[in-house]
Coordinates of all heavy atoms in Angstrom, one line a residue:
M148 N 151.4 96.4 119.0 CA 151.0 96.2 117.6 C 149.4 96.0 117.5 O 148.8 96.6 116.6 CB 151.7 95.0 117.0 CG 151.4 94.9 115.5 SD 152.1 96.2 114.6 CE 152.4 95.5 113.1
M149 N 148.9 95.3 118.5 CA 147.4 95.0 118.5 C 146.7 96.3 118.7 O 145.7 96.6 118.1 CB 147.1 94.0 119.6 CG 145.6 93.8 119.7 SD 145.3 92.1 119.5 CE 143.7 92.0 120.0
L150 N 147.2 97.2 119.6 CA 146.6 98.5 119.9 C 146.5 99.3 118.6 O 145.5 100.0 118.3 CB 147.3 99.2 121.0 CG 146.7 100.6 121.4 CD1 145.3 100.4 121.8 CD2 147.6 101.2 122.5
R151 N 147.6 99.3 117.9 CA 147.7 100.1 116.6 C 146.6 99.6 115.6 O 145.9 100.4 115.0 CB 149.0 100.0 116.0 CG 149.1 100.8 114.7 CD 150.5 100.7 114.1 NE 151.4 101.5 114.9 CZ 152.7 101.6 114.7 NH1 153.2 100.9 113.8 NH2 153.4 102.4 115.4
S152 N 146.4 98.3 115.6 CA 145.4 97.7 114.7 C 144.0 98.1 115.1 O 143.1 98.4 114.3 CB 145.4 96.2 114.7 OG 146.7 95.8 114.2
I153 N 143.7 98.1 116.4 CA 142.4 98.6 116.9 C 142.2 100.0 116.6 O 141.1 100.4 116.2 CB 142.3 98.3 118.4 CG1 142.3 96.8 118.7 CG2 141.0 98.9 119.0 CD1 142.4 96.4 120.1
V154 N 143.2 100.9 116.9 CA 143.0 102.3 116.6 C 142.8 102.5 115.1 O 141.9 103.3 114.7 CB 144.3 103.1 117.1 CG1 144.2 104.5 116.6 CG2 144.3 103.1 118.6
S155 N 143.5 101.8 114.3 CA 143.3 101.9 112.8 C 141.9 101.5 112.4 O 141.3 102.2 111.5 CB 144.4 101.1 112.1 OG 145.7 101.6 112.3
A156 N 141.4 100.5 113.0 CA 140.1 100.0 112.7 C 139.0 101.0 113.1 O 138.1 101.3 112.4 CB 139.8 98.7 113.3
L157 N 139.2 101.7 114.2 CA 138.3 102.7 114.7 C 138.3 103.9 113.8 O 137.3 104.5 113.5 CB 138.6 103.1 116.2 CG 138.2 102.1 117.2 CD1 138.8 102.5 118.6 CD2 136.7 101.9 117.3
V158 N 139.5 104.3 113.4 CA 139.6 105.5 112.5 C 138.9 105.2 111.2 O 138.2 106.0 110.7 CB 141.1 105.9 112.3 CG1 141.2 106.9 111.2 CG2 141.7 106.4 113.6
L159 N 139.1 104.0 110.6 CA 138.5 103.6 109.4 C 137.0 103.6 109.5 O 136.3 104.1 108.6 CB 139.1 102.3 108.9 CG 138.5 101.8 107.6 CD1 138.8 102.8 106.5 CD2 139.1 100.4 107.2
T160 N 136.5 103.0 110.6 CA 135.1 102.9 110.8 C 134.4 104.3 110.9 O 133.4 104.6 110.3 CB 134.8 102.1 112.1 OG1 135.3 100.8 112.0 CG2 133.3 102.0 112.3
T161 N 135.1 105.2 111.6 CA 134.6 106.6 111.7 C 134.6 107.3 110.4 O 133.7 108.0 110.0 CB 135.4 107.4 112.8 OG1 135.4 106.7 114.0 CG2 134.9 108.8 112.9
A162 N 135.6 107.1 109.6 CA 135.7 107.8 108.3 C 134.7 107.3 107.4 O 134.1 108.0 106.6 CB 137.1 107.5 107.7
V163 N 134.3 106.0 107.4 CA 133.3 105.4 106.6 C 131.9 105.8 107.0 O 131.0 106.1 106.2 CB 133.4 103.9 106.5 CG1 132.2 103.3 105.8 CG2 134.7 103.5 105.8
A164 N 131.7 105.9 108.3 CA 130.3 106.3 108.9 C 130.0 107.7 108.7 O 128.9 108.1 108.5 CB 130.3 105.9 110.3
A165 N 131.0 108.6 108.8 CA 130.7 110.0 108.7 C 130.0 110.5 107.5 O 129.0 111.2 107.6 CB 132.0 110.8 108.9
P166 N 130.4 110.1 106.2 CA 129.6 110.5 105.1 C 128.2 110.0 105.1 O 127.3 110.7 104.7 CB 130.4 109.9 103.9 CG 131.8 109.7 104.4 CD 131.6 109.4 105.9
A167 N 127.9 108.8 105.6 CA 126.6 108.3 105.7 C 125.7 109.2 106.6 O 124.5 109.4 106.3 CB 126.6 106.9 106.1
M168 N 126.2 109.7 107.7 CA 125.5 110.5 108.6 C 125.2 111.8 108.0 O 124.2 112.5 108.4 CB 126.3 110.6 109.9 CG 126.3 109.3 110.7 SD 127.4 109.4 112.1 CE 127.3 111.0 112.8
A169 N 126.0 112.3 107.1 CA 125.8 113.6 106.5 C 125.0 113.6 105.2 O 124.8 114.6 104.6 CB 127.2 114.3 106.2
A170 N 124.5 112.5 104.9 CA 123.7 112.3 103.6 C 122.4 113.1 103.7 O 121.9 113.4 104.7 CB 123.4 110.8 103.4
D171 N 122.0 113.5 102.5 CA 120.7 114.2 102.4 C 119.6 113.3 103.0 O 119.7 112.1 103.0 CB 120.3 114.4 100.9 CG 121.2 115.5 100.3 OD1 121.8 116.3 101.1 OD2 121.2 115.6 99.1
R172 N 118.6 114.0 103.5 CA 117.5 113.3 104.2 C 116.2 113.6 103.4 O 116.1 114.7 102.8 CB 117.4 113.7 105.6 CG 118.7 113.3 106.4 CD 119.0 114.2 107.5 NE 120.3 113.8 108.1 CZ 120.4 113.5 109.3 NH1 119.4 113.4 110.1 NH2 121.6 113.1 109.8
G173 N 115.3 112.7 103.4 CA 114.2 112.9 102.5 C 112.8 112.7 103.1 O 112.7 112.2 104.3
F174 N 111.8 113.0 102.3 CA 110.4 112.8 102.7 C 109.6 112.7 101.4 O 110.0 113.1 100.3 CB 109.9 114.0 103.6 CG 109.9 115.3 102.9 CD1 108.7 115.8 102.4 CD2 111.0 116.1 102.9 CE1 108.7 117.1 101.8 CE2 111.1 117.3 102.4 CZ 109.9 117.8 101.8
T175 N 108.4 112.1 101.6 CA 107.5 111.9 100.4 C 106.3 112.8 100.6 O 105.8 113.0 101.7 CB 107.1 110.5 100.4 OG1 108.2 109.7 100.2 CG2 106.1 110.2 99.2
V176 N 105.8 113.4 99.5 CA 104.6 114.2 99.5 C 103.6 113.5 98.7 O 103.8 113.2 97.5 CB 104.8 115.6 99.0 CG1 103.5 116.4 98.9 CG2 105.8 116.4 99.8
S177 N 102.4 113.2 99.3 CA 101.3 112.5 98.6 C 100.2 113.5 98.5 O 99.8 114.2 99.4 CB 100.8 111.3 99.4 OG 101.9 110.3 99.5
N178 N 99.6 113.6 97.3 CA 98.5 114.5 97.0 C 97.2 113.6 96.9 O 97.0 112.9 95.9 CB 98.7 115.3 95.7 CG 97.6 116.2 95.5 OD1 96.6 116.3 96.2 ND2 97.7 117.0 94.4
T179 N 96.4 113.7 98.0 CA 95.1 112.9 98.0 C 94.0 113.8 97.6 O 92.8 113.4 97.7 CB 94.9 112.2 99.4 OG1 94.8 113.2 100.4 CG2 96.0 111.3 99.7
N180 N 94.2 115.1 97.3 CA 93.2 116.0 96.9 C 92.7 115.5 95.5 O 93.5 115.3 94.6 CB 93.8 117.4 96.8 CG 92.8 118.5 96.5 OD1 92.0 118.4 95.5 ND2 92.7 119.5 97.3
G181 N 91.4 115.4 95.4 CA 90.9 114.9 94.1 C 90.8 115.9 93.0 O 90.6 115.5 91.8
K182 N 91.1 117.2 93.2 CA 90.9 118.2 92.1 C 92.1 119.0 91.9 O 92.4 119.4 90.7 CB 89.7 119.1 92.5 CG 88.4 118.3 92.6 CD 87.3 119.2 92.9 CE 86.0 118.4 93.0 NZ 84.8 119.3 93.3
A183 N 92.8 119.4 92.9 CA 93.9 120.4 92.8 C 95.3 119.8 92.8 O 95.5 118.8 93.6 CB 93.8 121.5 93.9
A184 N 96.2 120.3 92.1 CA 97.6 119.8 92.1 C 98.4 120.6 93.1 O 98.0 121.8 93.4 CB 98.2 120.0 90.7
I185 N 99.5 120.1 93.6 CA 100.4 120.8 94.5 C 101.4 121.5 93.6 O 102.0 120.9 92.8 CB 101.1 119.8 95.5 CG1 100.1 119.2 96.4 CG2 102.2 120.6 96.2 CD1 100.7 118.1 97.3
V186 N 101.4 122.8 93.7 CA 102.2 123.7 92.8 C 103.4 124.3 93.5 O 104.3 124.8 92.8 CB 101.4 124.7 92.1 CG1 100.4 124.1 91.2 CG2 100.7 125.6 93.1
K187 N 103.4 124.4 94.9 CA 104.6 124.9 95.6 C 104.8 124.1 96.9 O 103.9 123.6 97.4 CB 104.3 126.4 96.0 CG 104.4 127.3 94.8 CD 104.6 128.7 95.2 CE 104.7 129.6 93.9 NZ 105.9 130.3 93.7
L188 N 106.0 124.1 97.3 CA 106.4 123.3 98.5 C 107.6 124.0 99.2 O 108.5 124.5 98.5 CB 106.9 121.9 98.0 CG 107.4 120.9 99.0 CD1 106.3 120.5 99.9 CD2 108.0 119.8 98.3
W189 N 107.4 124.2 100.5 CA 108.5 124.9 101.3 C 108.8 124.0 102.5 O 108.0 123.2 102.9 CB 108.0 126.2 101.8 CG 107.6 127.2 100.8 CD1 108.4 128.2 100.2 CD2 106.3 127.4 100.3 NE1 107.6 128.9 99.4 CE2 106.3 128.5 99.4 CE3 105.0 126.8 100.5 CZ2 105.2 129.0 98.7 CZ3 103.9 127.3 99.8 CH2 104.0 128.4 98.9
Y190 N 110.0 124.2 103.1 CA 110.4 123.5 104.3 C 111.1 124.4 105.2 O 111.8 125.4 104.8 CB 111.2 122.2 104.0 CG 112.6 122.5 103.5 CD1 113.7 122.6 104.3 CD2 112.8 122.9 102.1 CE1 114.9 122.9 103.9 CE2 114.1 123.2 101.7 CZ 115.1 123.2 102.5 OH 116.4 123.5 102.1
A191 N 111.1 124.1 106.5 CA 111.8 124.9 107.5 C 112.1 123.9 108.7 O 111.3 123.1 109.0 CB 111.1 126.1 108.0
Q192 N 113.2 124.1 109.3 CA 113.6 123.4 110.5 C 112.5 123.6 111.6 O 112.2 124.8 111.9 CB 114.9 123.8 111.0 CG 115.4 123.0 112.2 CD 116.7 123.6 112.8 OE1 117.5 124.2 112.0 NE2 116.9 123.4 114.0
S193 N 111.9 122.6 112.1 CA 110.8 122.7 113.1 C 111.3 123.5 114.4 O 112.4 123.2 114.9 CB 110.3 121.3 113.6 OG 109.7 120.7 112.6
G194 N 110.5 124.4 114.8 CA 110.8 125.2 116.0 C 112.0 126.1 116.0 O 112.3 126.7 117.0
S195 N 112.5 126.3 114.8 CA 113.7 127.2 114.7 C 113.4 128.6 114.5 O 114.2 129.5 114.8 CB 114.6 126.7 113.5 OG 113.9 127.0 112.3
G196 N 112.2 128.9 114.0 CA 111.9 130.3 113.7 C 112.5 130.8 112.4 O 112.4 132.0 112.0
K197 N 113.2 129.9 111.7 CA 113.9 130.3 110.5 C 112.8 130.3 109.4 O 111.8 129.7 109.4 CB 114.9 129.2 110.1 CG 116.1 129.2 111.0 CD 117.2 128.3 110.6 CE 118.4 128.3 111.5 NZ 119.4 127.4 111.2
A198 N 113.1 131.1 108.4 CA 112.2 131.3 107.2 C 112.1 130.0 106.4 O 113.1 129.2 106.4 CB 112.7 132.4 106.3
F199 N 111.0 129.7 105.8 CA 110.8 128.6 105.0 C 111.6 128.7 103.7 O 111.7 129.8 103.2 CB 109.3 128.4 104.6 CG 108.5 127.7 105.6 CD1 108.0 128.4 106.7 CD2 108.2 126.4 105.5 CE1 107.2 127.8 107.7 CE2 107.4 125.7 106.5 CZ 106.9 126.4 107.6
Q200 N 112.2 127.6 103.2 CA 112.9 127.6 102.0 C 112.1 126.9 100.9 O 111.5 125.8 101.2 CB 114.2 126.8 102.2 CG 115.1 127.3 103.2 CD 115.7 128.7 102.8 OE1 116.2 128.8 101.7 NE2 115.7 129.6 103.7
E201 N 112.0 127.4 99.7 CA 111.2 126.8 98.7 C 111.9 125.6 98.1 O 113.1 125.7 97.7 CB 110.8 127.8 97.6 CG 109.8 127.3 96.6 CD 109.2 128.4 95.7 OE1 109.5 129.5 95.9 OE2 108.5 128.0 94.8
M202 N 111.2 124.5 97.9 CA 111.8 123.4 97.2 C 111.5 123.6 95.7 O 110.6 124.3 95.3 CB 111.0 122.1 97.6 CG 111.1 121.7 99.0 SD 112.7 121.2 99.6 CE 112.9 119.6 98.8
D203 N 112.4 123.1 94.9 CA 112.3 123.2 93.4 C 111.4 122.0 92.9 O 111.8 120.9 92.9 CB 113.7 123.1 92.8 CG 113.6 123.3 91.3 OD1 112.6 123.8 90.8 OD2 114.5 122.8 90.6
L204 N 110.1 122.4 92.6 CA 109.2 121.4 92.0 C 109.5 121.4 90.5 O 109.3 122.4 89.8 CB 107.8 121.8 92.2 CG 107.2 121.6 93.6 CD1 105.7 122.0 93.7 CD2 107.3 120.1 94.0
K205 N 109.9 120.3 90.0 CA 110.1 120.2 88.5 C 108.8 120.3 87.8 O 108.7 120.7 86.7 CB 110.8 118.9 88.2 CG 112.2 118.7 88.9 CD 113.2 119.6 88.4 CE 114.5 119.3 89.0 NZ 115.4 120.4 89.2
Y206 N 107.7 119.8 88.4 CA 106.4 119.7 87.8 C 105.4 119.6 89.0 O 105.8 119.2 90.1 CB 106.3 118.6 86.9 CG 106.7 117.3 87.4 CD1 105.8 116.5 88.1 CD2 108.0 116.8 87.3 CE1 106.2 115.3 88.7 CE2 108.4 115.6 87.8 CZ 107.4 114.8 88.5 OH 107.8 113.6 89.1
P207 N 104.2 120.1 88.8 CA 103.2 120.0 89.9 C 102.9 118.5 90.2 O 103.1 117.6 89.4 CB 101.9 120.6 89.2 CG 102.4 121.5 88.2 CD 103.7 120.8 87.6
I208 N 102.5 118.3 91.5 CA 102.2 117.0 92.0 C 100.7 116.9 91.8 O 99.9 117.5 92.5 CB 102.6 116.7 93.4 CG1 104.1 117.0 93.6 CG2 102.2 115.3 93.9 CD1 104.6 117.0 95.0
G209 N 100.2 116.1 90.8 CA 98.8 116.0 90.5 C 98.0 115.3 91.5 O 98.6 114.6 92.4
P210 N 96.7 115.4 91.4 CA 95.8 114.6 92.3 C 96.2 113.1 92.2 O 96.5 112.6 91.2 CB 94.4 114.8 91.8 CG 94.5 116.2 91.1 CD 95.9 116.2 90.5
S211 N 96.1 112.4 93.3 CA 96.4 111.0 93.5 C 97.8 110.6 93.0 O 98.0 109.5 92.5 CB 95.4 110.2 92.7 OG 94.1 110.4 93.1
S212 N 98.7 111.5 93.2 CA 100.1 111.3 92.9 C 101.0 111.6 94.1 O 100.6 112.1 95.1 CB 100.6 112.2 91.7 OG 99.9 112.0 90.6
R213 N 102.3 111.2 94.0 CA 103.2 111.5 95.1 C 104.6 111.7 94.4 O 104.9 111.3 93.3 CB 103.3 110.3 96.1 CG 104.1 109.1 95.6 CD 104.3 108.2 96.7 NE 103.3 107.2 96.8 CZ 103.1 106.3 97.7 NH1 104.0 106.2 98.6 NH2 102.2 105.4 97.6
S214 N 105.4 112.4 95.2 CA 106.8 112.7 94.8 C 107.7 112.7 96.0 O 107.3 113.0 97.1 CB 106.8 114.0 94.1 OG 108.0 114.3 93.5
S215 N 109.0 112.4 95.8 CA 110.0 112.4 96.9 C 110.9 113.6 96.8 O 111.2 114.0 95.7 CB 110.8 111.1 96.8 OG 110.0 110.0 97.0
F216 N 111.3 114.1 98.0 CA 112.2 115.2 98.1 C 113.3 115.0 99.1 O 113.1 114.2 100.0 CB 111.4 116.5 98.5 CG 110.3 116.8 97.5 CD1 109.0 116.3 97.6 CD2 110.6 117.6 96.4 CE1 108.1 116.6 96.7 CE2 109.6 118.0 95.5 CZ 108.4 117.4 95.6
T217 N 114.4 115.7 99.0 CA 115.4 115.7 100.0 C 115.7 117.1 100.5 O 115.5 118.0 99.8 CB 116.8 115.1 99.4 OG1 117.2 115.9 98.3 CG2 116.6 113.6 99.0
V218 N 116.1 117.1 101.8 CA 116.6 118.4 102.3 C 118.1 118.3 102.5 O 118.6 117.2 102.6 CB 115.9 118.7 103.7 CG1 114.4 118.9 103.6 CG2 116.2 117.6 104.7
P219 N 118.8 119.4 102.5 CA 120.3 119.4 102.6 C 120.7 118.7 103.9 O 120.0 118.7 104.9 CB 120.7 120.8 102.6 CG 119.6 121.5 101.9 CD 118.3 120.8 102.3
A220 N 121.8 118.0 103.8 CA 122.4 117.3 104.9 C 122.6 118.2 106.1 O 123.0 119.4 106.0 CB 123.7 116.6 104.6
S221 N 122.2 117.8 107.3 CA 122.4 118.6 108.5 C 122.2 117.6 109.7 O 122.0 116.4 109.5 CB 121.3 119.7 108.6 OG 120.0 119.1 108.9
D222 N 122.3 118.2 110.9 CA 122.1 117.4 112.1 C 120.6 117.4 112.5 O 120.3 116.8 113.6 CB 122.9 118.0 113.3 CG 124.4 117.9 113.0 OD1 124.8 116.9 112.3 OD2 125.2 118.7 113.6
Y223 N 119.8 118.0 111.8 CA 118.3 118.1 112.2 C 117.5 117.1 111.5 O 117.7 116.7 110.3 CB 117.8 119.5 111.9 CG 118.6 120.6 112.5 CD1 119.5 121.4 111.8 CD2 118.5 120.8 113.9 CE1 120.2 122.3 112.4 CE2 119.3 121.8 114.5 CZ 120.1 122.5 113.8 OH 120.9 123.5 114.4
C224 N 116.5 116.5 112.2 CA 115.6 115.5 111.6 C 114.2 116.0 111.4 O 113.5 115.5 110.5 CB 115.6 114.3 112.5 SG 117.1 113.3 112.4
L225 N 113.8 117.0 112.2 CA 112.4 117.4 112.2 C 112.2 118.7 111.4 O 112.9 119.7 111.7 CB 111.8 117.6 113.6 CG 111.8 116.3 114.4 CD1 111.3 116.6 115.8 CD2 111.0 115.2 113.8
Y226 N 111.3 118.7 110.4 CA 111.1 119.9 109.6 C 109.6 120.1 109.5 O 108.8 119.2 109.6 CB 111.6 119.7 108.2 CG 113.1 119.8 108.1 CD1 113.9 118.7 108.5 CD2 113.7 121.0 107.8 CE1 115.3 118.8 108.4 CE2 115.1 121.1 107.7 CZ 115.9 120.0 108.1 OH 117.3 120.2 108.1
D227 N 109.2 121.4 109.3 CA 107.8 121.7 108.9 C 107.8 121.9 107.4 O 108.7 122.4 106.8 CB 107.5 123.1 109.6 CG 107.5 123.0 111.1 OD1 107.4 121.8 111.7 OD2 107.7 124.0 111.8
V228 N 106.7 121.4 106.8 CA 106.6 121.4 105.4 C 105.2 122.1 105.1 O 104.2 121.7 105.6 CB 106.6 120.0 104.8 CG1 106.4 120.0 103.3 CG2 107.9 119.3 105.2
R229 N 105.3 123.0 104.2 CA 104.1 123.8 103.7 C 103.9 123.5 102.2 O 104.9 123.5 101.5 CB 104.3 125.3 104.0 CG 103.1 126.1 103.6 CD 103.4 127.6 103.9 NE 103.6 127.8 105.3 CZ 104.2 128.8 105.8 NH1 104.7 129.8 105.0 NH2 104.4 129.0 107.1
I230 N 102.7 123.2 101.8 CA 102.3 123.0 100.4 C 101.3 124.0 100.0 O 100.5 124.5 100.8 CB 101.9 121.6 100.2 CG1 100.7 121.2 101.0 CG2 103.0 120.6 100.4 CD1 100.1 119.8 100.7
K231 N 101.3 124.3 98.7 CA 100.2 125.1 98.1 C 99.6 124.4 96.9 O 100.4 123.9 96.1 CB 100.8 126.5 97.7 CG 99.8 127.4 97.1 CD 100.4 128.8 96.8 CE 99.3 129.7 96.3 NZ 99.9 131.1 96.1
F232 N 98.3 124.4 96.9 CA 97.6 123.8 95.8 C 97.3 124.8 94.7 O 97.3 126.0 94.9 CB 96.3 123.2 96.3 CG 96.5 122.0 97.2 CD1 96.5 122.1 98.6 CD2 96.6 120.7 96.7 CE1 96.7 121.0 99.4 CE2 96.7 119.6 97.5 CZ 96.8 119.7 98.9
S233 N 97.0 124.2 93.5 CA 96.7 125.1 92.4 C 95.4 125.9 92.6 O 95.2 127.0 91.9 CB 96.5 124.2 91.1 OG 95.5 123.2 91.3
D234 N 94.5 125.6 93.6 CA 93.4 126.4 93.9 C 93.7 127.5 94.9 O 92.8 128.2 95.3 CB 92.2 125.5 94.3 CG 92.4 124.8 95.6 OD1 93.5 125.0 96.3 OD2 91.6 124.0 96.1
G235 N 95.0 127.6 95.3 CA 95.4 128.6 96.3 C 95.4 128.2 97.7 O 95.9 128.9 98.6
T236 N 94.8 127.0 98.0 CA 94.8 126.5 99.4 C 96.2 126.1 99.8 O 97.0 125.6 99.0 CB 93.9 125.3 99.5 OG1 92.6 125.6 99.0 CG2 93.8 124.7 100.9
E237 N 96.6 126.5 101.1 CA 97.8 126.1 101.6 C 97.6 125.2 102.8 O 96.6 125.3 103.5 CB 98.7 127.3 102.1 CG 99.2 128.1 100.9 CD 100.1 129.2 101.3 OE1 100.7 129.2 102.4 OE2 100.4 130.1 100.4
Q238 N 98.6 124.3 103.1 CA 98.5 123.3 104.2 C 99.9 123.1 104.7 O 100.8 123.1 104.0 CB 97.9 122.0 103.6 CG 97.7 120.9 104.6 CD 97.2 119.7 104.0 OE1 96.5 119.7 103.0 NE2 97.5 118.5 104.6
E239 N 100.0 123.0 106.1 CA 101.3 122.9 106.7 C 101.3 121.6 107.6 O 100.3 121.3 108.3 CB 101.6 124.1 107.6 CG 103.0 124.1 108.1 CD 103.4 125.4 108.8 OE1 103.1 126.4 108.2 OE2 103.9 125.3 109.9
T240 N 102.3 120.8 107.5 CA 102.5 119.6 108.3 C 103.8 119.9 109.1 O 104.8 120.2 108.6 CB 102.7 118.4 107.5 OG1 101.5 118.2 106.6 CG2 102.8 117.1 108.3
N241 N 103.7 119.7 110.4 CA 104.8 120.0 111.3 C 105.5 118.7 111.8 O 104.9 117.7 111.8 CB 104.3 120.8 112.6 CG 103.8 122.1 112.2 OD1 104.4 122.9 111.4 ND2 102.6 122.4 112.7
N242 N 106.8 118.9 112.1 CA 107.6 117.8 112.7 C 107.7 116.6 111.8 O 107.6 115.4 112.2 CB 107.1 117.4 114.1 CG 107.2 118.5 115.0 OD1 108.2 119.2 115.1 ND2 106.1 118.8 115.8
V243 N 107.9 116.8 110.5 CA 108.2 115.7 109.6 C 109.6 115.2 109.8 O 110.5 115.9 109.7 CB 108.0 116.1 108.1 CG1 108.3 115.0 107.1 CG2 106.6 116.7 107.9
N244 N 109.7 113.9 110.1 CA 111.0 113.3 110.4 C 111.7 112.8 109.1 O 111.4 111.8 108.6 CB 110.9 112.1 111.4 CG 112.2 111.7 111.9 OD1 113.2 111.8 111.3 ND2 112.2 111.1 113.1
V245 N 112.6 113.7 108.6 CA 113.3 113.4 107.4 C 114.4 112.3 107.5 O 114.8 111.7 106.6 CB 113.8 114.6 106.7 CG1 112.7 115.6 106.4 CG2 114.9 115.3 107.5
C246 N 114.8 112.1 108.8 CA 115.8 111.0 109.0 C 115.2 109.6 108.9 O 115.9 108.7 108.7 CB 116.4 111.2 110.4 SG 117.3 112.7 110.7
R247 N 113.9 109.6 109.0 CA 113.2 108.3 108.9 C 112.3 108.2 107.6 O 111.3 107.5 107.6 CB 112.4 108.0 110.1 CG 113.2 107.9 111.3 CD 112.4 107.4 112.5 NE 113.3 107.2 113.6 CZ 112.9 106.8 114.8 NH1 111.6 106.6 115.0 NH2 113.7 106.7 115.8
G248 N 112.6 109.1 106.7 CA 111.8 109.1 105.4 C 110.4 109.5 105.7 O 109.4 108.8 105.2
G249 N 110.1 110.6 106.4 CA 108.8 111.0 106.7 C 107.9 111.3 105.5 O 108.3 111.2 104.4
S250 N 106.6 111.5 105.8 CA 105.7 111.8 104.7 C 104.8 112.9 105.0 O 104.5 113.2 106.2 CB 104.9 110.5 104.4 OG 104.1 110.1 105.5
V251 N 104.3 113.6 104.0 CA 103.3 114.6 104.1 C 102.2 114.3 103.2 O 102.4 113.8 102.0 CB 104.0 116.0 103.6 CG1 102.9 117.1 103.6 CG2 105.1 116.3 104.5
T252 N 100.9 114.4 103.6 CA 99.8 114.1 102.8 C 99.0 115.4 102.6 O 98.5 116.0 103.6 CB 98.9 113.1 103.4 OG1 99.7 111.9 103.6 CG2 97.7 112.7 102.6
G253 N 98.9 115.8 101.4 CA 98.0 117.0 101.0 C 96.6 116.5 100.7 O 96.4 115.6 100.0
T254 N 95.7 117.2 101.4 CA 94.3 116.7 101.2 C 93.4 117.8 100.6 O 93.6 118.9 100.7 CB 93.7 116.3 102.6 OG1 93.8 117.4 103.5 CG2 94.4 115.2 103.2

């Protein structure tokens, strides 16, 4: 009977932990550029060679502002993030750890 209780507890613990591990993962983008807004944002799994996916920006990230984003749930934590400013300048930050709430700073 005790073995059944232990097995039941392990199954329940695994069932509760699984959804948390599959949750969306996120990062913050800060715009420290004094003049240009961030108007486009893309992400790709670091080192994968996969094409960048465009994030849906509801509105530009203005100078001295920040915004938070999530990537779809997966087993990957490191992503490359590319941003484009309203003046046409692009900047890329590699190995952003979305599992730990990574950050990207546009300058």
Side-chain angles (χ1 to χ4, degrees):
M148 187 66 152
M149 176 123 169
L150 181 58
R151 181 179 287 171
S152 296
I153 292 171
V154 171
S155 295
L157 287 173
V158 169
L159 181 60
T160 301
T161 303
V163 171
M168 291 171 36
D171 286 345
R172 294 148 187 244
F174 62 98
T175 301
V176 176
S177 298
N178 183 357
T179 62
N180 185 306
K182 298 179 182 179
I185 295 173
V186 295
K187 290 201 180 240
L188 177 70
W189 301 270
Y190 70 96
Q192 181 187 335
S193 292
S195 68
K197 293 182 179 180
F199 277 83
Q200 301 292 314
E201 188 170 354
M202 299 291 290
D203 182 22
L204 284 180
K205 303 287 185 211
Y206 51 87
I208 304 169
S211 302
S212 296
R213 79 169 90 184
S214 191
S215 296
F216 299 90
T217 58
V218 295
S221 74
D222 292 334
Y223 304 106
C224 289
L225 299 179
Y226 286 83
D227 298 335
V228 178
R229 184 180 297 159
I230 57 177
K231 183 175 184 177
F232 290 95
S233 55
D234 66 2
T236 303
E237 291 189 13
Q238 181 180 332
E239 189 171 312
T240 303
N241 297 313
N242 299 314
V243 177
N244 190 331
V245 300
C246 295
R247 294 188 177 179
S250 63
V251 174
T252 302
T254 56

